[in-house]
Every structure is written in structure tokens, then in C-alpha cells.
Amino acid sequence: SRTGAMVRLQCAAEGHPAPQIAWQKDGGTDFPAARERRMHIMPDDDFLFIMDVKTEDTGVYSCTAQNVAGSVLANATLTV
């Protein structure tokens, strides 16, 4: 992605009961975009938005969907 662009990541998961979605960056919960209030998570449609992306946003973003039936992990690599 280009510096300054908007990035949208989706973690689509369905199940009964509806799974809880948790996001990580590089295996942790430190998001430079969140510290700078450039990151927004939409709980209703499982999207993560990063506005005005910067080089420090580069990394592997993972989402975990979990309910009583189990959990599923998906990764997406963002290169800025």
C-alpha cells in the first residue's frame, strides 16, 4: 500500500454463537496506528481500517475468530 492511503482488512467469520474477533499485529497488541488514532475496528462487520498508512504500519496482521466451537486464525501481510 502507498503511504497516506487507507487500508481495509476484513476478518469474516460466521458461526453460532457469533464468534468474537480479536486482532493482533506481529503477534502482539501494539498497533502504531491505534496509538495515533488512525485505526478503527468496526465490530458489526469485522473490518479493521487504517487511515493515512505509514511505514511503521508494515507487518503481519492476524485475526482470531473464537466461539465455543473453537477458534480460527487468519493472517494478512501489510507492506507500506
Side-chain angles (χ1 to χ4, degrees):
S1 184
R2 296 187 322 275
T3 301
M6 184 197 78
V7 170
R8 182 181 72 173
L9 302 175
Q10 183 181 18
C11 185
E14 296 181 1
H16 300 285
Q20 294 289 108
I21 304 295
W23 290 93
Q24 290 188 311
K25 178 181 182 292
D26 298 325
T29 55
D30 181 31
F31 297 87
R35 290 198 310 268
E36 298 173 9
R37 301 179 188 271
R38 295 181 290 111
M39 187 176 96
H40 307 283
I41 296 176
M42 303 301 176
D44 295 335
D45 53 11
D46 306 324
F47 282 104
L48 180 151
F49 291 93
I50 300 176
M51 320 301 287
D52 186 24
V53 293
K54 300 180 180 181
T55 54
E56 60 261 35
D57 297 321
T58 294
V60 177
Y61 289 76
S62 57
C63 75
T64 303
Q66 184 169 12
N67 69 6
V68 293
S71 64
V72 179
L73 174 71
N75 292 321
T77 301
L78 173 62
T79 304
V80 182

Coordinates of all heavy atoms in Angstrom, one line a residue:
S1 N 0.8 -1.2 0.0 CA 0.0 0.0 0.0 C 0.9 1.3 0.0 O 2.0 1.2 0.5 CB -0.9 0.0 1.2 OG -1.8 1.1 1.2
R2 N 0.4 2.3 -0.6 CA 1.1 3.6 -0.6 C 1.0 4.3 0.7 O -0.1 4.3 1.3 CB 0.6 4.5 -1.7 CG 0.9 3.9 -3.1 CD 0.5 4.9 -4.2 NE -0.7 5.7 -3.9 CZ -1.9 5.3 -4.1 NH1 -2.2 4.1 -4.7 NH2 -2.9 6.1 -3.8
T3 N 2.0 5.0 1.1 CA 2.0 5.9 2.3 C 0.8 6.9 2.1 O 0.6 7.5 1.0 CB 3.3 6.7 2.5 OG1 4.3 5.7 2.6 CG2 3.3 7.5 3.7
G4 N 0.0 7.1 3.1 CA -1.1 8.0 3.1 C -2.4 7.4 2.6 O -3.4 8.1 2.7
A5 N -2.3 6.2 2.1 CA -3.6 5.6 1.7 C -4.4 5.0 2.8 O -3.9 5.0 4.0 CB -3.2 4.4 0.7
M6 N -5.6 4.6 2.5 CA -6.4 3.9 3.6 C -6.4 2.4 3.3 O -6.5 2.0 2.1 CB -7.9 4.4 3.5 CG -8.7 3.8 4.6 SD -10.5 3.9 4.3 CE -10.7 2.6 3.1
V7 N -6.2 1.6 4.4 CA -6.2 0.2 4.2 C -7.4 -0.4 5.0 O -7.7 0.1 6.0 CB -4.9 -0.4 4.8 CG1 -4.9 -1.9 4.9 CG2 -3.7 0.1 4.0
R8 N -8.0 -1.4 4.4 CA -9.1 -2.1 5.0 C -8.8 -3.6 5.0 O -8.6 -4.2 4.0 CB -10.4 -1.8 4.2 CG -11.6 -2.5 4.8 CD -12.9 -2.2 4.0 NE -12.8 -3.0 2.7 CZ -13.8 -3.0 1.9 NH1 -14.9 -2.4 2.1 NH2 -13.7 -3.7 0.8
L9 N -8.9 -4.2 6.2 CA -8.7 -5.6 6.4 C -10.0 -6.1 6.9 O -10.7 -5.5 7.8 CB -7.6 -5.9 7.3 CG -6.2 -5.4 7.0 CD1 -5.2 -5.7 8.1 CD2 -5.7 -5.9 5.7
Q10 N -10.4 -7.3 6.4 CA -11.7 -7.9 6.9 C -11.4 -9.3 7.5 O -10.6 -10.0 7.0 CB -12.7 -8.1 5.7 CG -14.0 -8.6 6.2 CD -15.0 -8.8 5.1 OE1 -14.7 -8.9 3.9 NE2 -16.3 -8.9 5.5
C11 N -12.1 -9.5 8.6 CA -12.0 -10.8 9.2 C -13.4 -11.4 9.2 O -14.2 -11.2 10.1 CB -11.4 -10.7 10.6 SG -11.2 -12.3 11.4
A12 N -13.8 -12.1 8.1 CA -15.1 -12.6 8.0 C -15.2 -13.9 8.6 O -14.5 -14.9 8.3 CB -15.5 -12.7 6.5
A13 N -16.1 -14.1 9.6 CA -16.2 -15.3 10.3 C -17.7 -15.5 10.7 O -18.3 -14.5 11.2 CB -15.3 -15.4 11.6
E14 N -18.3 -16.6 10.5 CA -19.6 -16.9 10.8 C -19.7 -18.1 11.8 O -18.8 -19.0 11.7 CB -20.5 -17.2 9.6 CG -20.6 -16.0 8.6 CD -21.4 -16.3 7.4 OE1 -22.0 -17.4 7.3 OE2 -21.6 -15.4 6.6
G15 N -20.7 -18.1 12.6 CA -20.9 -19.3 13.5 C -22.0 -19.0 14.5 O -22.5 -17.9 14.5
H16 N -22.3 -20.0 15.2 CA -23.4 -19.9 16.2 C -22.8 -20.5 17.5 O -22.5 -21.7 17.5 CB -24.6 -20.6 15.8 CG -25.2 -20.1 14.5 ND1 -25.9 -18.9 14.5 CD2 -25.2 -20.6 13.2 CE1 -26.3 -18.7 13.2 NE2 -25.9 -19.7 12.5
P17 N -22.7 -19.7 18.6 CA -22.9 -18.2 18.6 C -21.9 -17.5 17.8 O -20.9 -18.0 17.4 CB -22.8 -17.9 20.1 CG -21.9 -18.9 20.6 CD -22.2 -20.2 19.9
A18 N -22.2 -16.2 17.4 CA -21.4 -15.4 16.6 C -20.0 -15.3 17.3 O -19.9 -15.1 18.5 CB -21.9 -14.0 16.4
P19 N -18.9 -15.6 16.5 CA -17.6 -15.6 17.1 C -17.1 -14.2 17.5 O -17.5 -13.2 16.9 CB -16.7 -16.1 16.0 CG -17.5 -16.0 14.7 CD -18.9 -15.9 15.1
Q20 N -16.3 -14.1 18.5 CA -15.6 -12.9 18.9 C -14.4 -12.8 18.0 O -13.6 -13.7 17.8 CB -15.2 -13.0 20.4 CG -16.3 -13.0 21.4 CD -17.1 -11.7 21.4 OE1 -18.2 -11.6 21.0 NE2 -16.4 -10.7 22.0
I21 N -14.1 -11.5 17.6 CA -13.0 -11.3 16.7 C -11.9 -10.5 17.5 O -12.2 -9.5 18.2 CB -13.4 -10.4 15.5 CG1 -14.5 -11.1 14.7 CG2 -12.2 -10.1 14.6 CD1 -14.1 -12.4 14.1
A22 N -10.7 -11.0 17.4 CA -9.5 -10.3 18.1 C -8.4 -10.1 17.0 O -8.1 -11.0 16.3 CB -9.0 -11.1 19.2
W23 N -7.9 -8.8 17.0 CA -6.8 -8.5 16.1 C -5.5 -8.4 16.8 O -5.4 -8.0 17.9 CB -7.1 -7.1 15.4 CG -8.3 -7.2 14.5 CD1 -9.6 -6.9 14.7 CD2 -8.2 -7.5 13.1 NE1 -10.4 -7.0 13.6 CE2 -9.6 -7.3 12.6 CE3 -7.2 -7.9 12.2 CZ2 -9.9 -7.6 11.2 CZ3 -7.5 -8.1 10.9 CH2 -8.9 -8.0 10.4
Q24 N -4.4 -8.8 16.0 CA -3.1 -8.6 16.5 C -2.2 -8.1 15.3 O -2.5 -8.3 14.2 CB -2.5 -9.9 17.0 CG -3.1 -10.4 18.3 CD -2.3 -11.6 18.9 OE1 -2.0 -12.6 18.2 NE2 -2.0 -11.5 20.1
K25 N -1.1 -7.5 15.7 CA -0.1 -7.1 14.7 C 1.3 -7.7 15.1 O 1.7 -7.4 16.3 CB 0.0 -5.5 14.7 CG 1.1 -5.1 13.7 CD 1.2 -3.5 13.7 CE 2.3 -3.1 12.7 NZ 3.6 -3.4 13.0
D26 N 1.9 -8.4 14.2 CA 3.1 -9.1 14.5 C 3.1 -9.9 15.8 O 4.0 -9.9 16.6 CB 4.3 -8.1 14.6 CG 4.5 -7.4 13.2 OD1 4.3 -8.1 12.2 OD2 4.8 -6.2 13.2
G27 N 1.9 -10.5 16.1 CA 1.8 -11.4 17.2 C 1.5 -10.7 18.6 O 1.5 -11.3 19.6
G28 N 1.3 -9.4 18.5 CA 1.1 -8.6 19.7 C 0.0 -7.6 19.6 O -0.7 -7.6 18.5
T29 N -0.2 -6.8 20.6 CA -1.4 -5.9 20.6 C -0.9 -4.4 20.5 O -1.6 -3.5 20.8 CB -2.3 -6.1 21.8 OG1 -1.5 -6.0 23.0 CG2 -2.9 -7.4 21.8
D30 N 0.3 -4.2 20.0 CA 0.9 -2.9 19.9 C 0.7 -2.4 18.4 O 1.3 -2.9 17.5 CB 2.3 -2.8 20.2 CG 2.9 -1.4 20.1 OD1 2.1 -0.4 20.3 OD2 4.1 -1.3 19.8
F31 N -0.3 -1.5 18.2 CA -0.6 -1.0 16.9 C -0.2 0.4 16.8 O -0.8 1.3 17.4 CB -2.1 -1.1 16.6 CG -2.7 -2.5 16.5 CD1 -3.1 -3.1 17.7 CD2 -2.8 -3.2 15.3 CE1 -3.6 -4.4 17.7 CE2 -3.3 -4.5 15.3 CZ -3.7 -5.1 16.5
P32 N 0.8 0.8 16.0 CA 1.2 2.2 15.9 C 0.0 3.1 15.4 O -0.2 4.2 15.9 CB 2.3 2.2 14.8 CG 2.9 0.9 14.9 CD 1.8 -0.1 15.3
A33 N -0.8 2.5 14.5 CA -2.0 3.3 14.0 C -3.0 3.5 15.1 O -3.7 4.5 15.1 CB -2.6 2.5 12.9
A34 N -3.1 2.6 16.1 CA -4.1 2.8 17.2 C -3.6 3.9 18.1 O -4.3 4.7 18.6 CB -4.3 1.5 17.9
R35 N -2.3 3.9 18.4 CA -1.7 4.9 19.3 C -1.9 6.3 18.7 O -2.1 7.2 19.5 CB -0.2 4.7 19.5 CG 0.1 3.4 20.3 CD 1.5 3.5 20.9 NE 2.5 3.8 19.9 CZ 3.2 2.9 19.2 NH1 3.0 1.6 19.4 NH2 4.1 3.2 18.3
E36 N -1.9 6.4 17.4 CA -2.0 7.7 16.7 C -3.5 7.9 16.3 O -3.7 8.8 15.5 CB -1.1 7.7 15.5 CG 0.4 7.6 15.9 CD 1.3 7.5 14.7 OE1 0.8 7.7 13.6 OE2 2.5 7.3 15.0
R37 N -4.4 7.1 16.7 CA -5.8 7.2 16.4 C -6.1 7.2 14.9 O -7.0 7.9 14.4 CB -6.4 8.5 17.1 CG -6.3 8.5 18.6 CD -6.9 9.7 19.2 NE -6.6 9.8 20.6 CZ -7.3 9.3 21.6 NH1 -8.4 8.6 21.3 NH2 -7.0 9.4 22.8
R38 N -5.3 6.4 14.2 CA -5.6 6.2 12.8 C -6.2 4.9 12.5 O -6.5 4.6 11.3 CB -4.2 6.3 12.0 CG -3.6 7.7 12.1 CD -2.3 7.7 11.3 NE -1.2 6.9 11.9 CZ -0.8 5.7 11.4 NH1 -1.2 5.2 10.2 NH2 0.2 5.1 12.0
M39 N -6.5 4.1 13.5 CA -7.0 2.7 13.3 C -8.4 2.7 13.9 O -8.7 3.2 15.0 CB -6.1 1.7 14.0 CG -6.5 0.3 13.7 SD -5.3 -0.9 14.4 CE -6.2 -1.3 16.0
H40 N -9.3 2.0 13.1 CA -10.7 1.9 13.6 C -11.1 0.5 13.3 O -10.9 -0.1 12.2 CB -11.6 2.9 12.8 CG -11.2 4.3 12.9 ND1 -11.3 5.1 14.0 CD2 -10.5 5.0 12.0 CE1 -10.8 6.3 13.8 NE2 -10.3 6.3 12.6
I41 N -11.7 -0.2 14.3 CA -12.3 -1.5 14.2 C -13.8 -1.4 14.2 O -14.3 -0.8 15.1 CB -11.7 -2.4 15.3 CG1 -10.2 -2.6 15.2 CG2 -12.4 -3.8 15.2 CD1 -9.6 -3.4 16.3
M42 N -14.4 -2.0 13.2 CA -15.9 -2.0 13.1 C -16.4 -3.3 13.6 O -16.3 -4.3 12.9 CB -16.3 -1.8 11.6 CG -15.7 -0.5 11.0 SD -16.2 1.0 11.9 CE -15.3 2.2 11.1
P43 N -16.9 -3.3 14.8 CA -17.3 -4.6 15.4 C -18.5 -5.3 14.7 O -18.6 -6.5 14.7 CB -17.7 -4.3 16.8 CG -18.0 -2.8 16.8 CD -17.2 -2.2 15.7
D44 N -19.3 -4.5 14.0 CA -20.5 -5.1 13.3 C -20.2 -5.8 12.1 O -20.9 -6.8 11.7 CB -21.5 -4.0 13.0 CG -22.1 -3.4 14.3 OD1 -22.0 -4.0 15.4 OD2 -22.5 -2.2 14.3
D45 N -19.2 -5.4 11.3 CA -18.9 -6.1 10.1 C -17.4 -6.6 10.0 O -16.9 -7.0 9.0 CB -19.1 -5.2 8.9 CG -18.5 -3.8 9.0 OD1 -17.6 -3.7 9.9 OD2 -18.8 -2.9 8.2
D46 N -16.7 -6.6 11.1 CA -15.4 -7.3 11.3 C -14.4 -6.7 10.4 O -13.5 -7.4 9.9 CB -15.6 -8.8 11.0 CG -16.6 -9.4 11.9 OD1 -16.7 -9.0 13.0 OD2 -17.3 -10.4 11.4
F47 N -14.4 -5.4 10.1 CA -13.4 -4.7 9.4 C -12.4 -3.9 10.3 O -12.8 -3.4 11.3 CB -14.0 -3.6 8.4 CG -14.6 -4.2 7.2 CD1 -16.0 -4.3 7.0 CD2 -13.8 -4.7 6.1 CE1 -16.6 -4.9 5.9 CE2 -14.4 -5.2 5.0 CZ -15.7 -5.3 4.9
L48 N -11.2 -3.9 9.9 CA -10.2 -3.0 10.5 C -9.7 -2.0 9.5 O -9.3 -2.4 8.4 CB -9.0 -3.9 11.0 CG -7.9 -3.2 11.7 CD1 -7.2 -4.1 12.7 CD2 -6.8 -2.7 10.8
F49 N -9.8 -0.8 9.8 CA -9.4 0.3 8.9 C -8.2 1.0 9.5 O -8.1 1.3 10.7 CB -10.5 1.4 8.7 CG -11.7 0.9 8.0 CD1 -12.8 0.4 8.7 CD2 -11.8 1.0 6.6 CE1 -13.9 0.0 8.0 CE2 -12.9 0.6 5.9 CZ -14.0 0.1 6.6
I50 N -7.2 1.3 8.6 CA -6.1 2.1 9.0 C -6.1 3.3 8.0 O -6.0 3.1 6.8 CB -4.7 1.3 8.9 CG1 -4.7 0.1 9.8 CG2 -3.6 2.3 9.3 CD1 -3.5 -0.7 9.8
M51 N -6.2 4.5 8.6 CA -6.2 5.7 7.8 C -4.7 6.2 7.7 O -3.9 6.0 8.6 CB -7.1 6.8 8.4 CG -8.4 6.2 9.0 SD -9.4 5.4 7.8 CE -10.0 6.8 6.9
D52 N -4.4 6.8 6.6 CA -3.1 7.5 6.4 C -2.0 6.6 6.8 O -1.2 6.9 7.7 CB -3.1 8.8 7.3 CG -1.8 9.6 7.1 OD1 -1.2 9.5 6.0 OD2 -1.5 10.4 8.0
V53 N -1.9 5.4 6.1 CA -0.9 4.4 6.5 C 0.5 4.9 6.4 O 0.8 5.8 5.6 CB -1.0 3.1 5.7 CG1 -2.3 2.4 6.0 CG2 -0.8 3.4 4.2
K54 N 1.4 4.5 7.3 CA 2.8 4.9 7.4 C 3.6 3.6 7.4 O 3.1 2.5 7.6 CB 3.0 5.7 8.7 CG 2.2 6.9 8.8 CD 2.4 7.7 10.1 CE 1.6 9.0 10.1 NZ 1.9 9.7 11.4
T55 N 4.9 3.8 7.2 CA 5.8 2.6 7.1 C 5.8 1.8 8.4 O 5.9 0.6 8.3 CB 7.3 3.1 6.8 OG1 7.7 4.0 7.8 CG2 7.4 3.7 5.4
E56 N 5.5 2.4 9.5 CA 5.5 1.6 10.8 C 4.3 0.7 10.9 O 4.2 -0.1 11.8 CB 5.6 2.5 12.0 CG 4.5 3.5 12.2 CD 4.9 4.9 11.7 OE1 5.7 5.0 10.7 OE2 4.5 5.9 12.3
D57 N 3.3 0.9 10.0 CA 2.2 0.0 10.0 C 2.5 -1.3 9.3 O 1.7 -2.2 9.3 CB 1.0 0.7 9.3 CG 0.5 2.0 10.0 OD1 0.5 1.9 11.3 OD2 0.2 2.9 9.3
T58 N 3.6 -1.4 8.6 CA 4.0 -2.6 7.9 C 4.1 -3.8 8.9 O 4.6 -3.6 10.0 CB 5.4 -2.4 7.2 OG1 5.2 -1.5 6.2 CG2 5.9 -3.7 6.7
G59 N 3.6 -4.9 8.5 CA 3.7 -6.1 9.4 C 2.6 -7.1 9.1 O 1.9 -7.0 8.1
V60 N 2.5 -8.1 9.9 CA 1.6 -9.2 9.7 C 0.4 -8.9 10.7 O 0.6 -8.9 11.9 CB 2.2 -10.6 10.0 CG1 1.1 -11.7 9.9 CG2 3.3 -10.8 9.0
Y61 N -0.8 -8.8 10.1 CA -2.0 -8.5 10.9 C -2.7 -9.9 11.0 O -2.9 -10.5 9.9 CB -2.9 -7.5 10.3 CG -2.3 -6.1 10.4 CD1 -1.2 -5.7 9.6 CD2 -2.7 -5.2 11.4 CE1 -0.6 -4.4 9.8 CE2 -2.2 -3.9 11.5 CZ -1.1 -3.6 10.7 OH -0.5 -2.3 10.9
S62 N -3.1 -10.3 12.1 CA -3.8 -11.6 12.3 C -5.1 -11.3 13.0 O -5.2 -10.5 13.9 CB -3.0 -12.6 13.0 OG -2.6 -12.1 14.3
C63 N -6.1 -12.1 12.6 CA -7.4 -12.0 13.3 C -7.7 -13.4 13.8 O -7.5 -14.4 13.1 CB -8.5 -11.4 12.5 SG -9.2 -12.4 11.2
T64 N -8.2 -13.5 15.0 CA -8.7 -14.7 15.6 C -10.2 -14.6 15.8 O -10.7 -13.7 16.4 CB -8.0 -15.0 16.9 OG1 -6.6 -15.0 16.7 CG2 -8.4 -16.4 17.4
A65 N -10.9 -15.6 15.3 CA -12.4 -15.7 15.5 C -12.6 -16.9 16.4 O -12.1 -18.0 16.1 CB -13.1 -15.9 14.2
Q66 N -13.3 -16.6 17.5 CA -13.4 -17.7 18.5 C -14.8 -17.7 19.1 O -15.4 -16.7 19.4 CB -12.4 -17.4 19.7 CG -12.4 -18.5 20.7 CD -11.2 -18.3 21.7 OE1 -10.6 -17.3 21.7 NE2 -11.0 -19.3 22.5
N67 N -15.4 -18.9 19.2 CA -16.6 -19.2 20.0 C -16.5 -20.5 20.6 O -15.4 -21.1 20.7 CB -17.8 -19.1 19.1 CG -17.9 -20.2 18.0 OD1 -17.2 -21.1 18.0 ND2 -18.9 -20.1 17.2
V68 N -17.5 -21.0 21.2 CA -17.5 -22.3 22.0 C -17.0 -23.5 21.1 O -16.5 -24.5 21.6 CB -18.8 -22.6 22.7 CG1 -19.1 -21.6 23.8 CG2 -19.9 -22.6 21.7
A69 N -17.2 -23.4 19.8 CA -16.9 -24.5 18.9 C -15.4 -24.5 18.6 O -14.9 -25.5 18.1 CB -17.7 -24.4 17.6
G70 N -14.7 -23.4 18.9 CA -13.2 -23.4 18.6 C -12.8 -22.0 18.1 O -13.5 -21.1 18.3
S71 N -11.6 -22.0 17.6 CA -11.1 -20.7 17.1 C -10.4 -20.9 15.8 O -9.9 -22.0 15.4 CB -10.1 -20.1 18.1 OG -9.0 -20.9 18.3
V72 N -10.3 -19.9 14.9 CA -9.7 -19.9 13.6 C -8.8 -18.6 13.5 O -9.3 -17.5 14.0 CB -10.7 -19.9 12.5 CG1 -10.1 -19.8 11.1 CG2 -11.6 -21.1 12.6
L73 N -7.6 -18.8 13.0 CA -6.7 -17.7 12.9 C -6.4 -17.4 11.4 O -6.2 -18.4 10.6 CB -5.4 -18.0 13.6 CG -4.2 -17.0 13.4 CD1 -4.5 -15.7 14.2 CD2 -2.9 -17.6 13.9
A74 N -6.4 -16.1 11.0 CA -6.1 -15.8 9.6 C -5.1 -14.6 9.6 O -5.2 -13.8 10.5 CB -7.3 -15.4 8.8
N75 N -4.1 -14.7 8.7 CA -3.1 -13.6 8.7 C -3.1 -12.9 7.4 O -3.5 -13.4 6.3 CB -1.7 -14.3 8.8 CG -1.4 -14.9 10.1 OD1 -1.8 -14.3 11.1 ND2 -0.7 -16.0 10.1
A76 N -2.8 -11.6 7.4 CA -2.6 -10.8 6.2 C -1.4 -9.9 6.4 O -1.2 -9.4 7.5 CB -3.8 -9.9 6.0
T77 N -0.5 -9.9 5.4 CA 0.7 -9.1 5.5 C 0.5 -7.7 4.8 O 0.0 -7.7 3.7 CB 1.9 -9.8 4.8 OG1 2.1 -11.1 5.4 CG2 3.1 -9.0 4.9
L78 N 0.8 -6.7 5.5 CA 0.7 -5.3 5.0 C 2.1 -4.8 4.8 O 2.9 -4.8 5.7 CB -0.1 -4.4 6.0 CG -0.2 -2.9 5.7 CD1 -0.9 -2.7 4.4 CD2 -0.8 -2.2 6.8
T79 N 2.3 -4.3 3.6 CA 3.6 -3.7 3.2 C 3.3 -2.3 2.8 O 2.6 -2.1 1.9 CB 4.3 -4.5 2.1 OG1 4.5 -5.9 2.5 CG2 5.7 -3.9 1.9
V80 N 4.0 -1.4 3.5 CA 3.8 0.1 3.1 C 5.1 0.6 2.6 O 6.1 0.5 3.2 CB 3.3 0.9 4.4 CG1 3.1 2.3 4.0 CG2 2.1 0.3 5.0

